[in-house]
Amino acid sequence: MIDLRSDTVTQPCSGMRTAMANAEVGDDVYGEDPTVNRLEALAADMTGMEAGLFCSSGTQSNLLALMSHCARGDEYIVGQQAHTYRYEAGGAAVLGSIQPQPLELEPDGTLDLGKVEGAVKPDDFHFAKTRLLCLENTQGGKVLPMAYIEDAEAFAREKGLKFHLDGARIFNAAVKLNITAKEITTRFDSVSVCLSKGLGAPVGSVLCAGRSLIEEARRWRKMLGGGMRQAGILAAAGIYALENNIERLEQDHDNAARLEKGLAGIDQLVIAPAPVRTNMVFVRVKSRDSELADFMEQKGIIIEKGDDLRLVTHLNVSSRDIDTVIAAFKEFYK
Ligand SMILES: *Cc1c(COP(=O)(O)O)cnc(C)c1O
């Protein structure tokens, strides 16, 4: 099946499975898993940070960052559609007693800094203490402009705010801009990187930041039940992903562009514009949307049901698969 629902559906390849099977392991709660230690050091190096912390998921990694930057009664400013606000089950509020201040994202995935400034609370006991600004890159598959990130960093420094990046797909952004990830991430105080999206690992994210923040996060991770033991079996997949699956993200971007081009001629589809697109194509379906997913399934293609489709390319989708998908859409709407 050609599964376009998400890049989380990727299957670990045989090289990755071999690396997992052969991983040297120890008890990571004692700090004795050499493979976890190697993954954390590698991720920290690639993001230009002092230290890394292997987490069970991106949700956990982002939550640890929020809880380490913010205390009870503090506030973080975040996009209304950002994962760290909308898709993490309210964890910052529930488990961290941190108040979110969501703001509408701009069409390019940025937060307007004028609006952010208006949302920063005065130092007055009526208000929560605004502590953190949180961005996401890529956001909905869109790459944030570097000039914007520089402005946002300067803004955060001027306002005395900490600056976190949900970099679940940061390597998609870096590959698209043809720069290293650290050229983006060193602008921030912390970054969460997913290994289990387009990089193809079965499990895991790494939080990277300064050493003291990571030590704080390690305590919260233990409290949240995220202290894992012989986790090197999982970390080995992460190392394999970082060493082998970054450059090939370009193929996913090419395939998304190929898909966009192929679908563009179909009148019943409206493709959302994206200034800098990576591995996602968002499509509004104008007619017969209720029959579309079932038709596709008969053709060996899995998409979500509904009239607002997110089509995601990843390492288990080839350019020939894209041609199959385009042909199926054309057949359905002929
Ligand atoms: C997937 C994702 C995460 C983390 O999700 P998990 O499923 O918890 O690993 C965080 N942010 C963004 C933007 C994501 O797409």
Side-chain angles (χ1 to χ4, degrees):
M1 297 296 278
I2 303 166
D3 193 339
L4 297 177
R5 290 170 301 169
S6 175
D7 47 10
T8 55
V9 302
T10 47
Q11 294 279 328
C13 65
S14 64
M16 183 177 279
R17 287 169 187 264
T18 302
M20 295 172 78
N22 296 334
E24 203 188 327
V25 297
D27 190 330
D28 181 51
V29 175
Y30 291 119
E32 291 173 2
D33 190 301
T35 309
V36 171
N37 293 342
R38 205 148 58 81
L39 170 65
E40 291 178 346
L42 177 62
D45 181 55
M46 292 176 83
T47 55
M49 298 289 188
E50 281 175 3
L53 184 69
F54 186 40
C55 300
S56 59
S57 68
T59 298
Q60 185 180 70
S61 176
N62 280 322
L63 177 61
L64 297 182
L66 290 166
M67 290 177 74
S68 302
H69 284 301
C70 301
R72 180 176 187 221
D74 287 351
E75 174 184 80
Y76 70 114
I77 297 177
V78 61
Q80 185 76 248
Q81 302 83 359
H83 206 280
T84 42
Y85 171 63
R86 194 180 172 89
Y87 298 99
E88 296 183 1
V94 174
L95 300 166
S97 300
I98 305 161
Q99 167 168 285
Q101 169 62 71
L103 296 174
E104 203 63 31
L105 288 168
E106 302 304 308
D108 63 358
T110 63
L111 280 171
D112 180 296
L113 296 177
K115 291 180 193 163
V116 175
E117 183 164 22
V120 174
K121 311 292 179 286
D123 183 6
D124 171 322
F125 62 63
H126 289 87
F127 303 111
K129 290 181 196 158
T130 309
R131 186 72 70 194
L132 177 71
L133 174 60
C134 201
L135 299 181
E136 185 173 309
N137 195 15
T138 58
Q139 204 292 316
K142 288 172 274 191
V143 179
L144 303 191
M146 276 311 292
Y148 170 77
I149 292 175
E150 286 161 24
D151 289 349
E153 181 197 17
F155 170 87
R157 304 282 171 240
E158 185 200 315
K159 297 286 171 191
L161 302 178
K162 297 296 180 188
F163 195 31
H164 174 68
L165 178 64
D166 178 356
R169 297 186 180 83
I170 192 60
F171 290 106
N172 291 86
V175 165
K176 188 75 192 186
L177 295 179
N178 204 14
I179 59 177
T180 59
K182 74 172 87 171
E183 287 176 71
I184 305 171
T185 52
T186 48
R187 302 273 167 190
F188 294 82
D189 295 305
S190 55
V191 56
S192 168
V193 177
C194 277
L195 304 167
S196 61
K197 302 274 165 84
L199 296 186
V203 176
S205 285
V206 188
L207 178 64
C208 296
R211 211 169 298 283
S212 65
L213 191 102
I214 292 298
E215 284 323 302
E216 181 81 15
R218 193 180 296 279
R219 181 181 293 266
W220 291 122
R221 188 187 67 170
K222 186 75 180 116
M223 189 188 289
L224 294 170
M228 297 184 282
R229 303 295 178 171
Q230 285 72 32
I233 291 191
L234 300 173
I239 293 169
Y240 185 96
L242 291 174
E243 288 180 345
N244 295 282
N245 289 347
I246 291 177
E247 274 146 49
R248 64 149 308 287
L249 291 171
E250 195 171 353
Q251 294 167 35
D252 301 341
H253 303 165
D254 290 347
N255 281 338
R258 187 185 186 91
L259 181 61
E260 173 180 11
K261 197 152 160 260
L263 298 183
I266 301 174
D267 286 344
Q268 292 86 345
L269 304 177
V270 183
I271 298 173
V276 189
R277 185 189 301 285
T278 52
N279 68 330
M280 295 182 189
V281 182
F282 289 83
V283 180
R284 166 72 48 82
V285 179
K286 286 198 288 186
S287 77
R288 296 173 62 210
D289 58 280
S290 59
E291 306 153 52
L292 181 61
D294 288 340
F295 176 84
M296 287 292 171
E297 195 172 342
Q298 288 163 28
K299 300 282 170 189
I301 298 161
I302 310 179
I303 59 172
E304 260 150 22
K305 287 190 168 35
D307 61 357
D308 243 332
L309 304 180
R310 183 184 77 159
L311 306 174
V312 186
T313 56
H314 52 75
L315 54 75
N316 295 134
V317 177
S318 67
S319 59
R320 276 187 52 196
D321 291 339
I322 294 298
D323 294 339
T324 304
V325 171
I326 293 167
F329 270 99
K330 286 189 172 155
E331 188 183 336
F332 183 73
Y333 285 117
K334 76 171 180 279

